[in-house]
Amino acid sequence: MLDPRFTKLANVLVNYSTNVQPGDNVLIDAMEVDAALIKELVKAVSRAGGHSFVNLRESSISRQLLLAGTEEQFRLEAEMDKERMEKMQACIIIEGGLNINEVSDVPDEQMKLATSFFKEVSIVRLKKKWVYLRYPTPSMAQLANKSTEAFEQFYFDVCTMDYAKMAKAMQPLKELMERTDRVKITGPGTELTFSIKGIPSIPCPGHYNIPDGEVFTAPVRDSVNGVISFNTPSPYQGFTFEKVRLEFVDGKIVSATANDTERLNNILDTDEGARYIGEFALGVHPFIREPMQDILFDEKIDGSFHFTPGRCYDEASNGNKSNIHWDMVMIQRPEYGGGEIWFDDHLIRRDGRFLLPELAPLNPENLKE
């Protein structure tokens, strides 16, 4: 029997997130996803007048391809993927998998080699209508400390909430951020200052990621100074980093430590831009409260912000270019140690709650209503 939650989610992805129009070519790129959801997506695209193209992947095979891949192979695959992406108007990417650490034993040099070629594919995709989401699995339920059944219900509640309401509530924050020059962030082990002057702020209410719930911009590239100590696990390239601490001088990460300091610094040495910040964002999703080592969820945590070494987005560009983009999350609610965010000497958020009346609709009790 068809789970009606698949149908509801497919309608959100096709009719809201990517807004498929008659004649659109839509790539459905799925890794270890229930076939029933893929079928519902194909049906929804067809009802909207679009054409579906499906790419099915398997994580253990992807790992083997990374391990065995050569420069020539990665280049050719990226060229073919880029050519296909150029013919699409929309892309829906869904990633499942039983083991989030499936590629953890792929050597750093192999990972860097592969990502260096597929960066061009990402650049093309970002110019399309696209949405990315994870798929609920028992391993995700374990990371969230929930039963499989409870996590599935949490997942569908999170992914099908009223994103149109969220979009409206985000507008005052967007406008405030675009009037702001100086940002100061304080918290346990954190004293950070930077400027966001002149850089656009972008609300994310479900058009590119599901789940969604952030407003992002970027710091002026050379303006970041101070120290930040992240209080959530940070998975990247198949390894989970903990207790990441970064020190900045004039925008550059000059010191970085974690549970694997050598691995951390190897990633930050990928290229020059990897030691500069490409994104600063505030997370506001009312149903996402705890970290679960899945960045698509964790970066939207209510009362959080994330700070991102690496590549900036074109929509909010500070000019930083890199082959990496690593969202690192800090939660500032009281149970995580609290913290404050100041815009131009005005306190706008304390312990994860917005204080200004025009921003109050973003507090969780108002978004849930």
Side-chain angles (χ1 to χ4, degrees):
M1 182 179 293
L2 175 65
D3 188 331
R5 298 177 300 184
F6 285 155
T7 306
K8 184 176 181 181
L9 179 57
N11 286 331
V12 170
L13 297 175
V14 171
N15 298 312
Y16 176 79
S17 297
T18 56
N19 190 26
V20 173
Q21 297 297 305
D24 280 356
N25 294 326
V26 183
L27 176 63
I28 301 169
D29 188 308
M31 178 179 286
E32 297 180 33
V33 172
D34 194 307
L37 176 56
I38 305 299
K39 291 177 184 177
E40 289 305 294
L41 285 167
V42 172
K43 292 176 188 176
V45 169
S46 180
R47 286 193 295 267
H51 315 294
S52 296
F53 300 84
V54 178
N55 180 36
L56 300 179
R57 296 179 289 126
E58 206 275 337
S59 59
S60 65
I61 295 174
S62 295
R63 169 185 172 273
Q64 196 60 50
L65 288 169
L66 285 168
L67 287 170
T70 65
E71 181 174 343
E72 180 182 4
Q73 178 181 336
F74 291 141
R75 180 186 290 110
L76 179 58
E77 185 179 4
E79 288 173 358
M80 292 189 296
D81 285 355
K82 180 180 177 183
E83 182 177 355
R84 178 177 59 181
M85 189 64 69
E86 287 172 342
K87 297 178 188 229
M88 299 294 129
Q89 281 72 50
C91 181
I92 299 171
I93 305 168
I94 312 173
E95 288 196 351
L98 298 178
N99 183 359
I100 67 166
N101 296 317
E102 189 64 48
V103 299
S104 61
D105 57 353
V106 175
D108 288 343
E109 290 307 313
Q110 278 292 97
M111 192 67 73
K112 290 176 184 178
L113 182 63
T115 56
S116 68
F117 290 109
F118 287 94
K119 175 183 175 183
E120 294 299 319
V121 182
S122 297
I123 290 172
V124 174
R125 176 174 60 80
L126 289 173
K127 294 177 181 178
K128 310 291 183 177
K129 298 182 292 185
W130 61 272
V131 63
Y132 172 87
L133 67 157
R134 293 280 289 157
Y135 186 76
T137 63
S139 65
M140 290 178 69
Q142 289 174 328
L143 291 171
N145 293 314
K146 296 179 183 290
S147 68
T148 301
E149 183 177 350
F151 180 77
E152 284 180 357
Q153 190 57 54
F154 161 78
Y155 172 89
F156 286 107
D157 287 344
V158 163
C159 292
T160 59
M161 71 162 288
D162 188 348
Y163 283 106
K165 180 178 183 179
M166 178 186 285
K168 182 178 180 181
M170 285 177 167
Q171 283 305 305
L173 178 58
K174 167 186 166 64
E175 294 167 5
L176 175 60
M177 291 173 73
E178 292 184 337
R179 296 195 303 267
T180 296
D181 176 1
R182 292 169 288 108
V183 177
K184 181 175 73 172
I185 300 178
T186 63
T190 298
E191 185 78 27
L192 201 64
T193 61
F194 54 93
S195 172
I196 57 174
K197 184 176 182 179
I199 299 178
S201 295
I202 310 298
C204 298
H207 293 297
Y208 298 110
N209 288 328
I210 293 288
D212 217 343
E214 66 174 274
V215 180
F216 76 87
T217 183
V220 174
R221 189 176 186 269
D222 300 329
S223 71
V224 185
N225 285 283
V227 60
I228 183 168
S229 300
F230 293 94
N231 59 7
T232 67
S234 188
Y236 197 73
Q237 294 185 356
F239 181 83
T240 300
F241 293 85
E242 297 182 355
K243 298 182 179 179
V244 176
R245 183 180 185 274
L246 307 178
E247 293 184 22
F248 295 85
V249 174
D250 296 335
K252 185 176 182 178
I253 298 170
V254 296
S255 176
T257 60
N259 57 326
D260 191 331
T261 295
E262 181 178 0
R263 186 189 289 254
L264 169 63
N265 281 278
N266 283 341
I267 295 173
L268 295 177
D269 288 336
T270 297
D271 48 42
E272 180 186 3
R275 285 190 178 266
Y276 289 82
I277 297 298
E279 181 187 0
F280 163 61
L282 299 178
V284 299
H285 200 298
F287 293 107
I288 306 177
R289 301 279 293 174
E290 312 301 334
M292 48 178 283
Q293 298 185 43
D294 187 306
I295 194 57
L296 190 60
F297 285 76
D298 290 358
E299 68 179 358
K300 316 303 189 319
I301 290 172
D302 170 49
S304 74
F305 72 89
H306 54 275
F307 215 50
T308 307
R311 182 179 64 256
C312 66
Y313 288 111
D314 290 343
E315 304 97 314
S317 177
N318 66 354
N320 197 46
K321 301 182 185 301
S322 176
N323 285 323
I324 76 163
H325 181 92
W326 185 354
D327 295 315
M328 298 182 178
V329 178
M330 176 178 287
I331 304 173
Q332 291 190 303
R333 301 199 312 271
E335 61 268 35
Y336 285 88
E340 298 179 344
I341 297 179
W342 297 72
F343 288 174
D344 290 332
D345 299 323
H346 297 286
L347 181 61
I348 65 109
R349 200 176 77 173
R350 175 189 287 133
D351 295 345
R353 290 188 59 82
F354 291 100
L355 303 179
L356 304 182
E358 63 268 30
L359 302 184
L362 287 171
N363 286 327
E365 65 276 13
N366 297 321
L367 282 179
K368 286 181 178 180
E369 291 177 353

